[in-house]
Amino acid sequence: MSAGAVCSGLFLLGMDLTVLNVAIPELQSALGSSAGQTQWIVDAYALVLGGLVLSAGGVTDRIGRRRAFLAGLVTCVFASVAGALAAVPWQLILARGAMGAGASLIMPATLSLLTTLFPERELRRRAIALWAAVGGVGGALGPVIGGWLVSHHSWRAVFWLNVPFTAAVIVLTLLVVPAPPPARTEPVDLPGTVLSATGLLALVWAIIEGPARGWTSTPVLAVSAVGAGLLASFGVWLRRAPAAMLPRHVLRRAVTVPAAALAMMSFAMFGALFVISLYLQGVLDCTPWEAGVRTLPLPGALIVGAGLAAPLTVRLTHRSVMVSGLLVTAGSFVLLSRTTAESGYPYLALVQIVAGLGAGLTAAAGTAAVMESVGEPYAGVGSAVNDASRQVGATLGVAVQGSVLATVYRDRISDALSHAGLGGLPSAARDGVVAAARAGRQATPAVRHQLLAAATDAFVAGLTRTAWVAAVVVVAGAVAVWRGLPRLPAVPASPRSERCAAQSSAP
């Protein structure tokens, strides 16, 4: 029951990350937001979450994990109400940012609470596998839930849904989740917290803005340099601080290698989910709701893969399971690279199943490797390292793969339209395959056929390129894990963990 309460908070977090995507057209019409404002309504959540999660993990260990979890949930409730009542775009942007701040407390608190509640190694691995599956399912179901709410109610229902759901998680947490004392008693590392938060915020901002402003534009390069400088200063501070937010043993290979591999896996998977959604809507002509439903094979397979990871790591090693999962995931991208306009949905469902199985194995085994390496007293900051790497990887994956797709698409479709004598079509047709499909509905049948054929060919060419980029990144992750991840020793449970486990099982 306690694991269910904790994982419910993680489901909420994953859902909030993606649920708003399908509500954008109605939201933009209702609030009259510009393209830039609309982008930040979506991205404010990911920006604040990615920037604050590392420092929030250090705070979690010091103030108490259940307390941090509840504080994040309460923050999300008030921010959701503010979002539902927003009348102008800037109010909604602030509300989404506040939701990201709450999520930055929830994410490390969930995983560190599970580590405390399940000190026995095999049970802990099963709980972590559940955690990995629930997080992925929440993100994948976000567009499905959001599409249904927008279709039957309005975009505001996306925010109102959070209120009763989060309130129920708060009550359940107070009833069934024990409150372990803070794992670390030293003062909060304020300089380290500020340096890590500002450095990551700058880095994530540059990643989000790169595709729109250009990766070599002055603002992106300047903010990237500032972020890199702040993170470098953070690294210097960690070596000198008497009570650093990230102790040295948290940054050894047993932690950093699986965390980096999880970032690479998130880079590939989130970028692929973005591209697959565009294929479903632009090539297969699905509505946003239909496209969301057709991505369900991926989270379903992810649950299976995560469930298989726990027993496999008992028989094998984290390294073997992670490498196997990454190679399976890479195979799914090889399959995706062979997608054509005639492939149809069954082939795409197969790609999702293979990708979900590999991602489930990798996420569960990699997260368990990180948490077992840091030890229970530093579970909050270990969870934050795991979460920050995955969040930055996911943001970078959508930005880079989206940028590659857009570049290839624009080059191909511009040439095709010029050769076909259709250069006078609205510029929106060059923005993407979905926009081209909409433009084609207003054209004559002959023009529509030529436009859709050109847009589909251009999109498939871009999809092929992004799939190979993702495959190369995932294979690099597999090589890094095989060469760099040591065999993990058993981590004994601390006496305080055993007492907390006894409290959680008491009637």
Side-chain angles (χ1 to χ4, degrees):
M1 183 65 76
S2 57
V6 172
C7 288
S8 295
L10 183 67
F11 178 88
L12 172 73
L13 188 155
M15 181 183 70
D16 284 343
L17 195 60
T18 59
V19 70
L20 200 62
N21 293 350
V22 296
I24 291 304
E26 183 180 340
L27 182 154
Q28 193 170 16
S29 176
L31 296 183
S33 58
S34 65
Q37 290 171 328
T38 302
Q39 178 184 353
W40 279 109
I41 289 171
V42 176
D43 291 339
Y45 183 91
L47 172 67
V48 177
L49 171 58
L52 297 184
V53 67
L54 187 59
S55 55
V59 173
T60 296
D61 284 335
R62 290 172 169 87
I63 69 172
R65 290 157 188 169
R66 192 181 78 154
R67 184 180 299 172
F69 183 58
L70 290 171
L73 291 172
V74 170
T75 302
C76 284
V77 167
F78 284 104
S80 297
V81 172
L85 298 176
V88 291
W90 68 263
Q91 294 175 344
L92 194 52
I93 293 172
L94 289 179
R96 287 280 290 173
M99 291 172 69
S104 71
L105 286 169
I106 294 172
M107 184 175 272
T110 55
L111 190 51
S112 56
L113 272 172
L114 290 178
T115 302
T116 302
L117 295 172
F118 298 95
E120 199 278 322
R121 190 169 187 174
E122 185 174 351
L123 289 178
R124 184 172 62 240
R125 288 179 176 179
R126 292 179 182 176
I128 289 174
L130 175 65
W131 181 91
V134 168
V137 170
L141 288 182
V144 180
I145 297 170
W148 187 89
L149 289 172
V150 172
S151 299
H152 292 79
H153 300 284
S154 75
W155 67 267
R156 297 184 188 274
V158 171
F159 291 91
W160 285 123
L161 173 68
N162 279 349
V163 178
F165 185 91
T166 309
V169 176
I170 291 173
V171 172
L172 190 61
T173 299
L174 291 171
L175 291 176
V176 303
V177 178
R184 300 169 66 184
T185 57
E186 64 265 29
V188 173
D189 178 13
L190 189 57
T193 299
V194 172
L195 286 172
S196 66
T198 52
L200 281 173
L201 281 169
L203 177 63
V204 175
W205 183 92
I207 292 172
I208 291 173
E209 287 291 301
R213 296 175 180 262
W215 293 102
T216 58
S217 65
T218 300
V220 171
L221 290 177
V223 175
S224 298
V226 170
L230 289 169
L231 292 176
S233 300
F234 174 58
V236 173
W237 171 257
L238 291 180
R239 291 195 293 269
R240 298 179 179 179
M245 185 181 76
L246 287 178
R248 289 187 179 181
H249 83 276
V250 174
L251 298 177
R252 57 199 174 99
R253 284 192 306 160
V255 177
T256 57
V257 170
L262 288 172
M264 294 177 181
M265 189 268 294
S266 296
F267 174 98
M269 292 300 297
F270 277 83
L273 193 61
F274 171 74
V275 173
I276 287 172
S277 178
L278 292 178
Y279 181 89
L280 288 167
Q281 295 182 62
V283 178
L284 299 187
D285 199 26
C286 296
T287 65
W289 156 253
E290 293 169 341
V293 171
R294 282 165 174 75
T295 59
L296 289 180
L298 195 151
L302 191 148
I303 293 173
V304 175
L308 291 172
L312 285 175
T313 51
V314 173
R315 294 173 175 267
L316 304 172
T317 62
H318 292 301
R319 184 176 71 170
S320 299
V321 177
M322 282 194 72
V323 169
S324 299
L326 288 165
L327 292 179
V328 170
T329 305
S332 72
F333 289 111
V334 174
L335 291 175
L336 184 62
S337 71
R338 301 181 66 84
T339 304
T340 66
E342 291 75 31
S343 295
Y345 177 69
Y347 185 82
L348 202 62
L350 172 65
V351 171
Q352 293 181 69
I353 290 171
V354 177
L357 287 172
L361 287 169
T362 305
T367 302
V370 170
M371 299 308 294
E372 291 179 15
S373 298
V374 299
E376 193 273 335
Y378 299 94
V381 73
S383 173
V385 170
N386 174 80
D387 300 334
S389 61
R390 293 176 66 173
Q391 185 63 35
V392 171
T395 305
L396 189 60
V398 174
V400 171
Q401 293 187 58
S403 182
V404 170
L405 176 65
T407 300
V408 174
Y409 176 86
R410 287 170 185 163
D411 291 344
R412 292 294 186 95
I413 196 170
S414 295
D415 292 343
L417 294 180
S418 297
H419 291 151
L422 301 176
L425 284 172
S427 60
R430 294 174 173 81
D431 291 340
V433 67
V434 178
R438 291 172 181 168
R441 296 188 187 105
Q442 302 173 359
T444 63
V447 172
R448 183 187 306 121
H449 176 76
Q450 288 181 295
L451 174 60
L452 293 181
T456 299
D457 289 343
F459 178 82
V460 169
L463 181 149
T464 300
R465 186 78 58 84
T466 61
W468 280 113
V469 169
V472 169
V473 169
V474 173
V475 170
V479 172
V481 170
W482 185 255
R483 293 176 61 88
L485 182 61
R487 183 181 294 272
L488 297 174
V491 178
S494 67
R496 186 165 59 78
S497 295
E498 294 174 352
R499 290 198 301 272
C500 293
Q503 292 174 14
S504 66
S505 61

Coordinates of all heavy atoms in Angstrom, one line a residue, residues 112-164:
S112 N 13.6 7.7 -3.2 CA 14.3 7.6 -1.9 C 13.4 7.0 -0.8 O 13.9 6.2 0.0 CB 14.9 8.9 -1.4 OG 13.9 9.9 -1.3
L113 N 12.1 7.3 -0.9 CA 11.2 6.6 0.1 C 11.1 5.1 -0.2 O 11.1 4.3 0.8 CB 9.8 7.3 -0.1 CG 9.5 8.5 0.8 CD1 8.1 9.1 0.4 CD2 9.5 8.2 2.3
L114 N 11.1 4.7 -1.4 CA 11.0 3.3 -1.7 C 12.3 2.6 -1.2 O 12.2 1.5 -0.7 CB 10.9 3.1 -3.2 CG 9.5 3.4 -3.8 CD1 9.5 3.2 -5.3 CD2 8.4 2.6 -3.2
T115 N 13.4 3.2 -1.3 CA 14.7 2.7 -0.8 C 14.6 2.5 0.7 O 15.1 1.5 1.2 CB 15.8 3.6 -1.2 OG1 15.9 3.7 -2.6 CG2 17.2 3.0 -0.7
T116 N 14.0 3.4 1.4 CA 13.9 3.3 2.9 C 12.8 2.3 3.3 O 13.0 1.5 4.2 CB 13.5 4.7 3.4 OG1 14.5 5.7 3.1 CG2 13.4 4.6 4.9
L117 N 11.7 2.2 2.5 CA 10.6 1.3 2.9 C 11.0 -0.1 2.6 O 10.4 -1.0 3.2 CB 9.4 1.7 2.2 CG 8.8 3.1 2.5 CD1 7.6 3.4 1.6 CD2 8.3 3.1 3.9
F118 N 11.9 -0.4 1.7 CA 12.2 -1.7 1.3 C 13.7 -2.0 1.4 O 14.4 -2.0 0.3 CB 11.7 -2.0 -0.2 CG 10.2 -1.9 -0.3 CD1 9.7 -0.7 -0.8 CD2 9.4 -2.9 0.0 CE1 8.3 -0.6 -0.9 CE2 8.0 -2.8 -0.2 CZ 7.5 -1.6 -0.6
P119 N 14.2 -2.1 2.6 CA 15.7 -2.3 2.7 C 16.2 -3.7 2.2 O 17.4 -3.8 1.9 CB 15.9 -2.2 4.3 CG 14.5 -2.6 4.8 CD 13.5 -2.1 3.9
E120 N 15.3 -4.7 2.1 CA 15.8 -6.0 1.6 C 16.0 -5.9 0.1 O 15.1 -5.4 -0.6 CB 14.7 -7.0 1.9 CG 15.2 -8.5 1.9 CD 15.2 -9.0 0.5 OE1 14.3 -8.7 -0.3 OE2 16.2 -9.7 0.1
R121 N 17.1 -6.4 -0.3 CA 17.6 -6.0 -1.7 C 16.6 -6.5 -2.8 O 16.3 -5.7 -3.7 CB 19.0 -6.7 -1.9 CG 19.7 -6.2 -3.2 CD 21.1 -6.7 -3.2 NE 21.8 -6.1 -4.3 CZ 23.1 -6.2 -4.5 NH1 23.8 -6.9 -3.6 NH2 23.7 -5.7 -5.5
E122 N 16.1 -7.7 -2.7 CA 15.3 -8.2 -3.8 C 14.0 -7.4 -3.8 O 13.4 -7.1 -4.9 CB 15.0 -9.7 -3.6 CG 14.2 -10.3 -4.8 CD 14.1 -11.8 -4.7 OE1 14.8 -12.4 -3.8 OE2 13.3 -12.4 -5.4
L123 N 13.4 -7.2 -2.6 CA 12.1 -6.4 -2.6 C 12.3 -5.0 -3.1 O 11.5 -4.4 -3.8 CB 11.6 -6.4 -1.1 CG 11.0 -7.7 -0.6 CD1 10.5 -7.5 0.8 CD2 9.8 -8.2 -1.5
R124 N 13.5 -4.4 -2.7 CA 13.8 -3.1 -3.2 C 13.9 -3.0 -4.7 O 13.4 -2.1 -5.4 CB 15.1 -2.6 -2.6 CG 15.4 -1.1 -2.9 CD 16.6 -0.6 -2.2 NE 17.8 -1.3 -2.4 CZ 18.5 -2.0 -1.6 NH1 18.1 -2.0 -0.3 NH2 19.6 -2.6 -1.9
R125 N 14.5 -4.0 -5.3 CA 14.6 -4.1 -6.8 C 13.2 -4.2 -7.4 O 13.0 -3.5 -8.5 CB 15.5 -5.2 -7.2 CG 17.0 -5.0 -6.9 CD 17.8 -6.2 -7.3 NE 19.2 -6.0 -7.2 CZ 20.1 -6.9 -7.4 NH1 19.8 -8.1 -7.9 NH2 21.4 -6.6 -7.2
R126 N 12.3 -4.9 -6.8 CA 11.0 -5.0 -7.4 C 10.3 -3.7 -7.2 O 9.5 -3.3 -8.2 CB 10.2 -6.1 -6.6 CG 10.7 -7.5 -6.9 CD 9.9 -8.5 -6.1 NE 10.4 -9.9 -6.3 CZ 9.9 -11.0 -5.7 NH1 8.9 -10.9 -4.8 NH2 10.4 -12.2 -6.0
A127 N 10.5 -3.0 -6.1 CA 9.8 -1.7 -5.9 C 10.4 -0.7 -6.9 O 9.6 0.1 -7.5 CB 10.1 -1.2 -4.5
I128 N 11.7 -0.7 -7.2 CA 12.3 0.2 -8.2 C 11.8 -0.1 -9.6 O 11.5 0.8 -10.4 CB 13.8 0.1 -8.1 CG1 14.3 0.8 -6.8 CG2 14.4 0.8 -9.3 CD1 15.8 0.6 -6.5
A129 N 11.6 -1.4 -9.9 CA 11.0 -1.8 -11.2 C 9.6 -1.2 -11.3 O 9.2 -0.7 -12.4 CB 11.0 -3.3 -11.3
L130 N 8.8 -1.3 -10.2 CA 7.5 -0.7 -10.3 C 7.6 0.8 -10.5 O 6.8 1.4 -11.3 CB 6.7 -1.0 -9.0 CG 5.4 -0.4 -8.8 CD1 4.4 -0.9 -9.8 CD2 4.8 -0.6 -7.3
W131 N 8.5 1.4 -9.8 CA 8.7 2.9 -9.9 C 9.0 3.2 -11.4 O 8.5 4.2 -11.9 CB 9.9 3.3 -9.0 CG 10.2 4.7 -9.0 CD1 9.7 5.7 -8.2 CD2 11.1 5.4 -9.9 NE1 10.2 6.9 -8.5 CE2 11.2 6.8 -9.5 CE3 12.0 5.0 -10.9 CZ2 12.0 7.7 -10.1 CZ3 12.8 5.9 -11.5 CH2 12.8 7.2 -11.1
A132 N 10.0 2.5 -12.0 CA 10.4 2.8 -13.4 C 9.2 2.6 -14.3 O 9.0 3.4 -15.3 CB 11.5 1.9 -13.8
A133 N 8.4 1.6 -14.1 CA 7.2 1.3 -15.0 C 6.2 2.4 -14.8 O 5.6 2.9 -15.8 CB 6.6 0.0 -14.7
V134 N 5.9 2.8 -13.6 CA 4.8 3.8 -13.4 C 5.2 5.1 -14.0 O 4.3 5.8 -14.6 CB 4.5 3.9 -11.9 CG1 3.6 5.1 -11.6 CG2 3.9 2.6 -11.3
G135 N 6.5 5.5 -13.8 CA 6.9 6.8 -14.4 C 6.7 6.9 -15.9 O 6.2 7.8 -16.4
G136 N 7.1 5.8 -16.6 CA 7.0 5.7 -18.0 C 5.5 5.7 -18.4 O 5.1 6.3 -19.4
V137 N 4.7 4.9 -17.7 CA 3.3 4.8 -18.1 C 2.6 6.2 -17.9 O 1.7 6.6 -18.7 CB 2.6 3.7 -17.2 CG1 1.1 3.8 -17.4 CG2 3.1 2.4 -17.6
G138 N 2.9 6.9 -16.8 CA 2.3 8.2 -16.6 C 2.6 9.2 -17.8 O 1.7 9.8 -18.3
G139 N 3.8 9.2 -18.2 CA 4.2 10.1 -19.3 C 3.5 9.6 -20.6 O 3.0 10.5 -21.4
A140 N 3.4 8.3 -20.9 CA 2.8 7.8 -22.1 C 1.3 8.0 -22.1 O 0.7 8.2 -23.2 CB 3.1 6.4 -22.3
L141 N 0.6 7.9 -20.9 CA -0.8 8.1 -20.9 C -1.2 9.5 -20.8 O -2.4 9.8 -21.0 CB -1.4 7.3 -19.6 CG -1.4 5.8 -19.7 CD1 -2.0 5.3 -18.4 CD2 -2.1 5.3 -20.9
G142 N -0.3 10.4 -20.6 CA -0.7 11.9 -20.6 C -1.4 12.3 -21.8 O -2.5 12.9 -21.7
P143 N -0.9 12.1 -23.0 CA -1.7 12.5 -24.2 C -3.0 11.8 -24.3 O -4.0 12.4 -24.9 CB -0.7 12.1 -25.4 CG 0.6 12.1 -24.8 CD 0.4 11.6 -23.4
V144 N -3.1 10.6 -23.9 CA -4.4 9.9 -24.0 C -5.4 10.5 -23.1 O -6.6 10.8 -23.5 CB -4.3 8.4 -23.7 CG1 -5.6 7.7 -23.8 CG2 -3.2 7.7 -24.6
I145 N -5.0 10.7 -21.8 CA -5.9 11.4 -20.9 C -6.3 12.8 -21.3 O -7.4 13.2 -21.2 CB -5.3 11.3 -19.5 CG1 -5.1 9.9 -19.0 CG2 -6.1 12.1 -18.4 CD1 -4.2 9.8 -17.7
G146 N -5.2 13.5 -21.7 CA -5.5 14.9 -22.1 C -6.4 15.0 -23.3 O -7.3 15.9 -23.4
G147 N -6.2 14.1 -24.3 CA -7.1 14.1 -25.5 C -8.5 13.8 -25.1 O -9.4 14.5 -25.7
W148 N -8.8 12.9 -24.2 CA -10.1 12.6 -23.8 C -10.8 13.8 -23.1 O -11.9 14.2 -23.3 CB -10.2 11.4 -22.9 CG -11.6 10.9 -22.6 CD1 -12.3 10.0 -23.3 CD2 -12.4 11.3 -21.5 NE1 -13.6 9.9 -22.7 CE2 -13.6 10.7 -21.6 CE3 -12.2 12.2 -20.4 CZ2 -14.7 10.8 -20.7 CZ3 -13.2 12.4 -19.5 CH2 -14.4 11.7 -19.6
L149 N -10.0 14.4 -22.2 CA -10.5 15.6 -21.4 C -10.8 16.8 -22.4 O -11.9 17.4 -22.2 CB -9.5 16.0 -20.4 CG -9.3 15.1 -19.2 CD1 -8.2 15.5 -18.3 CD2 -10.6 15.0 -18.4
V150 N -9.9 17.0 -23.3 CA -10.2 18.1 -24.2 C -11.4 17.9 -25.1 O -12.2 18.7 -25.4 CB -8.9 18.4 -25.0 CG1 -9.2 19.4 -26.2 CG2 -7.8 18.9 -24.2
S151 N -11.5 16.6 -25.5 CA -12.6 16.2 -26.4 C -14.0 16.3 -25.7 O -15.0 16.7 -26.3 CB -12.4 14.8 -27.0 OG -11.3 14.7 -27.7
H152 N -14.0 16.0 -24.4 CA -15.3 16.0 -23.7 C -15.6 17.2 -22.8 O -16.7 17.4 -22.4 CB -15.4 14.7 -22.9 CG -15.5 13.4 -23.7 ND1 -14.4 12.8 -24.3 CD2 -16.5 12.6 -24.0 CE1 -14.7 11.8 -24.9 NE2 -16.0 11.6 -24.8
H153 N -14.5 17.9 -22.5 CA -14.7 19.1 -21.6 C -14.0 20.3 -22.2 O -14.4 20.9 -23.2 CB -14.2 18.7 -20.2 CG -14.9 17.6 -19.6 ND1 -16.2 17.7 -19.0 CD2 -14.5 16.3 -19.4 CE1 -16.6 16.5 -18.6 NE2 -15.6 15.6 -18.8
S154 N -12.8 20.7 -21.6 CA -12.0 21.8 -22.2 C -10.6 21.6 -21.7 O -10.3 20.7 -20.9 CB -12.6 23.1 -21.7 OG -12.2 23.4 -20.4
W155 N -9.7 22.5 -22.2 CA -8.3 22.4 -21.7 C -8.2 22.6 -20.2 O -7.2 22.1 -19.6 CB -7.5 23.4 -22.5 CG -7.8 24.9 -22.2 CD1 -8.6 25.7 -22.9 CD2 -7.2 25.6 -21.2 NE1 -8.6 26.9 -22.3 CE2 -7.7 26.9 -21.3 CE3 -6.2 25.4 -20.2 CZ2 -7.4 28.0 -20.4 CZ3 -5.9 26.4 -19.3 CH2 -6.5 27.7 -19.4
R156 N -9.1 23.4 -19.6 CA -9.0 23.6 -18.2 C -9.2 22.3 -17.4 O -8.7 22.2 -16.2 CB -10.0 24.6 -17.7 CG -9.8 26.0 -18.4 CD -10.7 27.1 -17.8 NE -10.6 28.3 -18.6 CZ -9.7 29.3 -18.3 NH1 -8.9 29.1 -17.3 NH2 -9.7 30.4 -19.1
A157 N -9.9 21.3 -17.9 CA -10.1 20.1 -17.2 C -8.8 19.3 -17.0 O -8.6 18.5 -16.1 CB -11.1 19.2 -18.0
V158 N -7.8 19.6 -17.9 CA -6.5 19.0 -17.7 C -5.8 19.4 -16.4 O -5.2 18.6 -15.7 CB -5.5 19.4 -18.9 CG1 -4.1 19.0 -18.7 CG2 -6.1 18.8 -20.2
F159 N -6.1 20.6 -16.0 CA -5.6 21.1 -14.7 C -6.5 20.7 -13.5 O -6.0 20.3 -12.4 CB -5.4 22.6 -14.7 CG -4.3 23.1 -15.6 CD1 -4.6 23.4 -16.9 CD2 -3.0 23.2 -15.1 CE1 -3.6 23.8 -17.8 CE2 -2.0 23.6 -16.0 CZ -2.3 23.9 -17.3
W160 N -7.8 20.8 -13.7 CA -8.7 20.4 -12.6 C -8.6 18.9 -12.2 O -8.8 18.5 -11.1 CB -10.1 20.7 -13.0 CG -10.5 22.1 -13.0 CD1 -11.0 22.9 -14.0 CD2 -10.5 23.0 -11.8 NE1 -11.3 24.1 -13.6 CE2 -10.9 24.3 -12.3 CE3 -10.0 22.9 -10.5 CZ2 -11.0 25.4 -11.4 CZ3 -10.1 24.0 -9.7 CH2 -10.6 25.2 -10.1
L161 N -8.2 18.1 -13.2 CA -8.0 16.6 -12.9 C -7.0 16.4 -11.8 O -7.1 15.5 -11.0 CB -7.6 15.9 -14.2 CG -7.2 14.4 -14.0 CD1 -8.4 13.6 -13.6 CD2 -6.6 13.9 -15.3
N162 N -6.0 17.3 -11.8 CA -4.9 17.1 -10.8 C -5.4 17.3 -9.3 O -4.8 16.7 -8.4 CB -3.8 18.1 -11.0 CG -2.8 17.7 -12.1 OD1 -2.9 16.5 -12.6 ND2 -2.0 18.6 -12.6
V163 N -6.4 18.1 -9.1 CA -6.8 18.5 -7.8 C -7.3 17.3 -7.0 O -6.7 16.9 -5.9 CB -7.8 19.6 -7.8 CG1 -8.2 20.0 -6.4 CG2 -7.1 20.9 -8.5
P164 N -8.3 16.6 -7.4 CA -8.8 15.4 -6.6 C -7.8 14.3 -6.6 O -7.6 13.6 -5.6 CB -10.1 15.0 -7.3 CG -10.0 15.5 -8.7 CD -9.2 16.8 -8.6

